[in-house]
């Protein structure tokens, strides 16, 4: 967690008028920048950005900067909705009608019916009074937490240690007192809450799916603590909306806990396949954020074409079980196959498949080898996104990653692990375990129960046939 907000040093060091810097002296800006970058290179946390251009008609394929085709196994386009014909058609027709841009901020010419319709749809999805769309969920989290905590007198924030950087930034920007509770540790959270009177405003911020580990937050239990200590809950469902629950409203919907949560935040840029973020809550809270949050007020709104695509995606996934069923089946298949081979998968109950490597340089080189030798793109994840020694490959199976593609990925990982002598699950166990790998009794049941998955698959098959038949009838 970042350190608390600190005021910048005063520009006036003394009452004496400072002398101008002599030629060739003064602060070495470029040297400072290079020094900071050198630190990143030395600790292996420097970020490399691969040139990956995803091909809509060949999903989940992409081409590199040289035009070479590769299979993408790490996209957050979890359900492949970015290329769904309904969404693409909606966006094409909207751009023909309304043009490319929004034309202004929400209160100056940038507030269209599509924005209002999408917010109404999102509020309905989460069974809340209202919703508010932002340019991204990073902005939504930052703006909402910083606005609420700075406006409520004496507000105290409680943040899970594994929270996303957007929430951390919002907490920092609020300048409000904060406590960081150990990841998913209810006892620690309660110990911190007990320090404050019921009259003290409190916000508990946490996630449903933690994207680098795949762990699931204790939603019902945290909601119960919030009720006991008179706090409000802020639940980030970014890596869950579209993928869990009867209508894709997230983990809270799947476990029947949406009514227990005060603020739900989500993204339109992952499972929904477009871009943008949002909050859903009661009407007065949403209106307060709308009225006070600079991150909402002072930025150009998202274009109508984006709103149309997002609205179509939300409505589609409210009804269709096809994409969720495909993702869940392929996730289970990959986790089981890798586990049988002893390749170290960080055990978790969600759709994320983290493969433990345990060293930053090695993780990067494995990612490079997958791309260059096997034409498979899987991004390595290093510090500070994960702890030092827990570096990993983050794999995200989608409905498009069928058996043939899966055989290619598994074969490549099997070859690399054998040729490099990388640690398997048994090796980690002999060392006492790491990141949940190789720990006795560390097996984890999947969040989506087998009976629910069977029901999803049973409903998905006729739905897919009906959708196909509808498409055929339209073309006849």
């Amino acid at each position: 967690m970042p350190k608390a907000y600190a005021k910048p040093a005063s520009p006036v060091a003394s009452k004496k008028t400072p002398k101008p810097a002599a030629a060739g002296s003064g602060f070495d800006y470029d040297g400072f920048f290079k020094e900071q970058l050198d630190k990143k290179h030395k600790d292996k946390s420097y970020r490399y950005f691969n040139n990956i251009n995803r091909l809509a008609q060949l999903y989940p394929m992409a081409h590199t900067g040289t035009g070479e085709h590769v299979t993408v196994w790490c996209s957050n386009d979890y359900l492949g909705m970015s290329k769904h014909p309904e969404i693409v058609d909606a966006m094409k027709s909207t751009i023909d009608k309304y043009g490319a841009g929004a034309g202004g901020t929400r209160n100056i010419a940038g507030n269209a019916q599509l924005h209002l319709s999408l917010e109404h749809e999102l509020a309905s999805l989460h069974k809340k009074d209202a919703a508010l769309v932002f340019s991204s969920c990073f902005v939504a989290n930052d703006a909402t937490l910083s606005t609420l905590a700075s406006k409520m007198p004496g507000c105290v924030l409680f943040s899970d240690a594994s929270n996303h950087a957007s929430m951390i930034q919002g907490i920092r920007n609020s300048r409000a007192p904060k406590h960081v509770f150990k990841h998913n540790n209810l006892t620690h959270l309660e110990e911190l809450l007990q320090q404050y009177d019921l009259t003290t405003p409190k916000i508990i911020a946490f996630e449903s799916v933690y994207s680098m580990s795949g762990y699931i937050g204790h939603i019902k239990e945290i909601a119960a603590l919030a009720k006991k200590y008179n706090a409000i809950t802020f639940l980030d469902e970014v890596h869950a909306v579209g993928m869990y629950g009867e209508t894709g409203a997230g983990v809270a919907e799947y476990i029947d806990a949406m009514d227990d949560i005060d603020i739900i935040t989500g993204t339109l840029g992952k499972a929904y396949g477009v871009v943008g973020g949002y909050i859903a809550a009661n009407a007065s809270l949403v209106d307060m954020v709308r009225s006070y949050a600079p991150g909402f007020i002072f930025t150009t709104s998202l274009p109508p074409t984006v709103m149309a695509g997002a609205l179509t995606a939300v409505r589609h996934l409210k009804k269709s079980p096809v994409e969720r069923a495909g993702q869940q089946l392929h996730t289970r298949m990959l986790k089981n196959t890798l586990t049988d081979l002893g390749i170290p998968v960080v055990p978790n109950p969600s759709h994320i498949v983290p493969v433990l490597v345990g060293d930053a340089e090695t993780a990067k080189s494995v990612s490079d080898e997958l791309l260059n030798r096997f034409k498979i793109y899987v991004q390595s994840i290093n510090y500070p996104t994960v702890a030092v020694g827990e570096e990993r490959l983050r794999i995200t199976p989608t409905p498009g990653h069928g058996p043939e593609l899966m055989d290619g990925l598994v074969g490549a990982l099997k070859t690399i692990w054998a040729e490099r002598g990388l640690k398997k699950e048994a090796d980690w166990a002999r060392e006492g375990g790491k990141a949940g790998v190789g720990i006795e009794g560390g097996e984890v049941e999947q969040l989506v129960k087998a009976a629910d998955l069977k029901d999803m698959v049973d409903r998905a098959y006729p739905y897919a046939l009906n959708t196909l038949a509808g498409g055929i009838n339209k073309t006849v």
Side-chain angles (χ1 to χ4, degrees):
M1 197 73 170
K3 295 178 181 178
Y5 177 91
K7 291 183 178 179
S10 170
V12 181
S14 70
K15 293 182 179 179
K16 295 180 180 179
T17 303
K19 295 180 180 179
S25 66
F27 190 82
D28 182 5
Y29 293 98
D30 197 51
F32 173 79
F33 303 147
K34 290 177 179 177
E35 180 186 351
Q36 296 303 304
L37 290 171
D38 191 47
K39 289 179 182 178
K40 283 283 184 184
H41 284 288
K42 285 180 178 177
D43 68 12
K44 308 303 179 185
S45 67
Y46 183 80
R47 295 179 187 271
Y48 295 88
F49 298 95
N50 287 310
N51 186 342
I52 300 294
N53 307 273
R54 298 185 309 124
L55 296 163
Q57 302 307 316
L58 297 175
Y59 160 86
M61 304 298 288
H63 71 74
T64 65
T66 63
E68 193 170 37
H69 282 196
V70 298
T71 307
V72 179
W73 273 95
C74 58
S75 171
N76 284 340
D77 184 10
Y78 289 126
L79 302 179
M81 296 301 289
S82 68
K83 55 82 186 176
H84 195 284
E86 289 180 21
I87 289 141
V88 173
D89 288 347
M91 296 182 76
K92 284 180 178 178
S93 62
T94 302
I95 202 167
D96 286 341
K97 185 173 184 178
Y98 294 115
T105 62
R106 285 290 292 272
N107 72 316
I108 305 177
N111 188 52
Q113 181 58 49
L114 282 165
H115 295 81
L116 303 176
S117 296
L118 177 58
E119 288 171 344
H120 177 78
E121 196 73 37
L122 292 168
S124 169
L125 176 70
H126 293 290
K127 294 182 169 55
K128 301 298 182 189
D129 296 340
L132 194 65
V133 171
F134 293 78
S135 55
S136 73
C137 201
F138 191 107
V139 176
N141 286 350
D142 179 5
T144 302
L145 283 170
S146 61
T147 299
L148 292 177
S150 63
K151 288 295 181 184
M152 289 192 289
C155 182
V156 181
L157 290 144
F158 300 83
S159 176
D160 187 287
S162 292
N163 274 346
H164 187 263
S166 57
M167 285 189 276
I168 294 172
Q169 192 66 28
I171 291 167
R172 168 189 275 180
N173 287 340
S174 76
R175 309 186 192 184
K178 71 175 186 299
H179 293 281
V180 180
F181 60 93
K182 297 172 185 175
H183 178 50
N184 269 347
N185 191 314
L186 298 170
T187 301
H188 188 212
L189 173 58
E190 184 162 22
E191 288 173 356
L192 296 170
L193 289 166
Q194 286 173 340
Q195 299 176 22
Y196 295 90
D197 190 84
L198 293 179
T199 59
T200 301
K202 296 174 282 289
I203 302 173
I204 305 173
F206 64 111
E207 301 181 36
S208 61
V209 178
Y210 291 87
S211 64
M212 293 301 142
S213 64
Y215 298 155
I216 303 291
H218 298 309
I219 297 173
K220 286 188 173 181
E221 295 83 355
I222 290 177
L225 286 175
K227 185 175 181 180
K228 181 178 179 180
Y229 293 98
N230 193 31
I232 61 174
T233 46
F234 180 102
L235 176 64
D236 179 309
E237 289 257 36
V238 162
H239 293 273
V241 289
M243 294 173 279
Y244 295 91
E246 185 73 16
T247 65
V251 176
E253 181 187 33
Y254 182 73
I255 65 173
D256 193 24
M258 278 201 297
D259 290 343
D260 301 327
I261 300 299
D262 298 294
I263 310 163
I264 293 174
T265 74
T267 184
L268 305 167
K270 293 182 171 57
Y272 291 125
V274 195
V275 69
Y278 65 89
I279 64 169
N282 71 46
S284 57
L285 187 152
V286 170
D287 199 17
M288 180 183 156
V289 173
R290 185 189 71 87
S291 301
Y292 284 96
F296 173 80
I297 298 168
F298 300 106
T299 189
T300 300
S301 61
L302 289 171
T305 184
V306 170
M307 297 294 95
L311 181 59
T312 304
V314 172
R315 287 174 174 170
H316 175 85
L317 289 175
K318 269 188 172 183
K319 300 179 297 181
S320 172
V322 175
E323 294 81 9
R324 286 189 282 276
Q327 182 198 41
Q328 287 292 324
L329 286 170
H330 293 163
T331 297
R332 277 169 161 76
M333 190 184 306
L334 182 59
K335 283 184 175 181
N336 290 338
T337 303
L338 293 178
T339 299
D340 289 345
L341 292 171
I343 293 175
V345 175
V346 175
N348 70 78
S350 75
H351 59 282
I352 309 294
V353 186
V355 175
L356 182 65
V357 178
D359 175 77
E361 192 169 7
T362 304
K364 174 66 170 60
S365 66
V366 169
S367 174
D368 290 343
E369 184 174 359
L370 283 168
L371 184 63
N372 297 324
R373 178 180 174 188
F374 295 97
K375 313 310 172 193
I376 291 171
Y377 175 46
V378 179
Q379 185 63 41
S380 60
I381 307 297
N382 299 333
Y383 176 83
T385 308
V386 297
V388 173
E390 296 185 6
E391 293 83 2
R392 63 197 63 182
L393 304 174
R394 179 182 180 270
I395 302 171
T396 53
T398 75
H401 289 97
E404 184 177 349
L405 293 178
M406 199 169 298
D407 287 346
L409 172 66
V410 170
L413 291 174
K414 185 178 177 181
T415 298
I416 290 173
W417 248 253
E419 290 180 353
R420 291 172 173 243
L422 298 178
K423 292 178 185 175
K424 289 191 169 184
E425 185 173 358
D427 300 313
W428 287 111
R430 281 190 289 271
E431 295 181 7
K434 175 76 74 172
V437 173
I439 296 175
E440 189 175 352
E443 298 82 8
V444 176
E445 289 186 11
Q446 295 302 285
L447 173 67
V448 177
K449 297 178 177 63
D452 294 335
L453 177 56
K454 182 180 183 303
D455 178 65
M456 197 188 303
V457 172
D458 290 343
R459 289 186 296 111
Y461 183 67
Y463 185 93
L465 288 181
N466 290 337
T467 302
L468 179 61
I472 292 172
N473 290 336
K474 285 180 183 178
T475 60
V476 172

